[in-house]
Amino acid sequence: MAVTQQLARIPEGYLAACRQSAAASSDRDPHWDPPAYDVLDLDWAPALLKRAGEVAGLEEVHRDALRQATNGDTALDLGFRNTHPHAIAPFGDSPTGLAASQVARVSELLGQIDMPLLLAALPADERDAASLIGQVGSITGGLRAYLLQHFNALRDFYVDAAKRQLLVVLWWD
């Protein structure tokens, strides 16, 4: 099983309930189980998206938004999500998150990124583009299609989270 980046959209109340469940449970079970429609698997795309933005000359404010959308922040207390035996990030850094106000700002900035234009700035040769952004191996369907699909999914995920005033939690699993 490959280690991929996961995101979940959750209300503040859900996070509080999970903290309370973890504290009250003898085995520290937070009962973490967001609905499938509020979870996004970004695969290995985050690093490639960020690097493509750097290479293509994406403005710093948008690069920062992309970084924050895929790295999270330390503003949320998610310690209970990295505790054995119920850890959700056993293969990477501790889970991070974004508060609803941060989600709204990231959503707005992601919506300003013209990803097809950004991808057009990469070398035309697929192998050259892949080498430049650090992609190793081949991607079924091609690098540009992969990046566009994952960027669109990320942007749409944040747009919905912002509309619903949800937090976003990120981890590698």
Side-chain angles (χ1 to χ4, degrees), residues 121-146:
L122 295 176
D125 182 82
E126 184 91 4
R127 287 172 295 197
D128 291 343
S131 176
L132 193 59
I133 67 170
Q135 187 262 321
V136 179
S138 63
I139 294 177
T140 303
L143 176 64
R144 284 175 179 76
Y146 175 85

Side-chain angles (χ1 to χ4, degrees), residues 23 93 114 129 156:
D93 295 331
D114 185 343
D156 295 349

Side-chain angles (χ1 to χ4, degrees), residues 5 14 22 71 73 91 118 133 163 165:
Q5 186 173 44
Y14 184 80
N71 289 357
D73 203 336
F91 302 108
L118 186 87
I133 67 170
K163 283 181 186 174
Q165 299 180 330

Side-chain angles (χ1 to χ4, degrees), residues 5-6 70-74 76-83 87-97 169-172:
Q5 186 173 44
Q6 307 293 307
T70 57
N71 289 357
D73 203 336
T74 57
L76 301 178
D77 172 16
L78 298 165
F80 72 91
R81 292 308 307 133
N82 204 29
T83 304
I88 61 170
F91 302 108
D93 295 331
S94 295
T96 61
V169 175
L170 305 95
W171 70 97
W172 286 86

